[in-house]
Amino acid sequence: MTNNKPLVGETFPKITVPQLGGGNLELGKSDTGHDWRLVVVYRGKHCPICTRYLKELGEIVPDLAKIGIDVVAVSADPEDRAREQIAEAGVSFPVGFNLDIPQMRKLGLYVSNPRSAQETDRPFSEPGLFVVNDEGKLQVTDISNAPFARPALSSVLMGLNFIKNPDNNYPVRGTHNDRS
């Protein structure tokens, strides 16, 4: 398996998926007037941990909006399963569906096969979190291969408050290149 994960400090890949409620959702591009975007990739309806994470995410959306960050989420689920899970989570931020394997690979996500037909009917991505800054570049990323290993959203919010404060002059971290 090759891993083509996007590099921090570089332009976030252009990925567009269908959006619940109609239209399309470009993952890395804010269209709400905020200058940054938080993109959460979740496993899908079969994952109760994802439902809890989406609920927690919905709770911090107003705090993220205060610092100019909008939120979107996406999974490989088809529309009906995505709609059911989002209704259960009770969130109202934009949600995409039908993330395909080439798009998952472009994001450097781990991809799993379902354990059974009862789980889901297609390969799905494991969790990922991406923060895209006002230049369209990847500022922060977290990619996991398991549903229980993802960043605490309270820590993400605290860190983004720090990063977005201009007094802190906080650069993109993890950009060291041995060839430079």
Side-chain angles (χ1 to χ4, degrees), residues 50-67:
C50 293
T51 303
R52 285 193 303 272
Y53 202 76
L54 290 166
K55 285 179 186 180
E56 290 175 30
L57 182 59
E59 292 169 7
I60 68 165
V61 165
D63 296 319
L64 290 166
K66 288 178 190 171
I67 58 171

Side-chain angles (χ1 to χ4, degrees), residues 12-175:
F12 189 76
K14 183 174 180 171
I15 295 177
T16 302
V17 295
Q19 181 174 328
L20 287 180
N24 290 315
L25 179 63
E26 187 176 334
L27 296 184
K29 183 179 178 189
S30 178
D31 54 5
T32 63
H34 295 313
D35 57 348
W36 287 35
R37 173 165 274 184
L38 172 63
V39 179
V40 172
V41 181
Y42 66 99
R43 300 172 79 229
K45 184 177 184 312
H46 67 277
C47 177
I49 297 171
C50 293
T51 303
R52 285 193 303 272
Y53 202 76
L54 290 166
K55 285 179 186 180
E56 290 175 30
L57 182 59
E59 292 169 7
I60 68 165
V61 165
D63 296 319
L64 290 166
K66 288 178 190 171
I67 58 171
I69 301 173
D70 71 4
V71 173
V72 298
V74 63
S75 76
D77 272 349
E79 184 176 11
D80 59 331
R81 289 178 62 88
R83 189 180 321 104
E84 289 171 17
Q85 186 171 26
I86 294 308
E88 183 180 341
V91 296
S92 60
F93 48 79
V95 175
F97 58 95
N98 281 342
L99 187 70
D100 63 32
I101 292 174
Q103 292 168 324
M104 294 175 207
R105 296 285 187 224
K106 196 182 256 191
L107 291 171
L109 296 164
Y110 292 97
V111 180
S112 293
N113 290 316
R115 294 184 305 161
S116 69
Q118 289 74 34
E119 185 176 52
T120 187
D121 66 347
R122 62 188 65 198
F124 56 90
S125 73
E126 294 297 340
L129 182 145
F130 305 93
V131 179
V132 183
N133 68 24
D134 58 336
E135 297 175 352
K137 298 184 179 200
L138 184 57
Q139 180 82 28
V140 176
T141 186
D142 185 88
I143 297 170
S144 179
N145 73 320
F148 48 81
R150 13 179 153 202
L153 290 168
S154 59
S155 294
V156 171
L157 177 59
M158 181 181 64
L160 292 174
N161 269 298
F162 184 85
I163 291 170
K164 291 266 321 204
N165 181 336
D167 295 337
N168 294 325
N169 194 28
Y170 196 81
V172 175
R173 307 308 298 172
T175 59

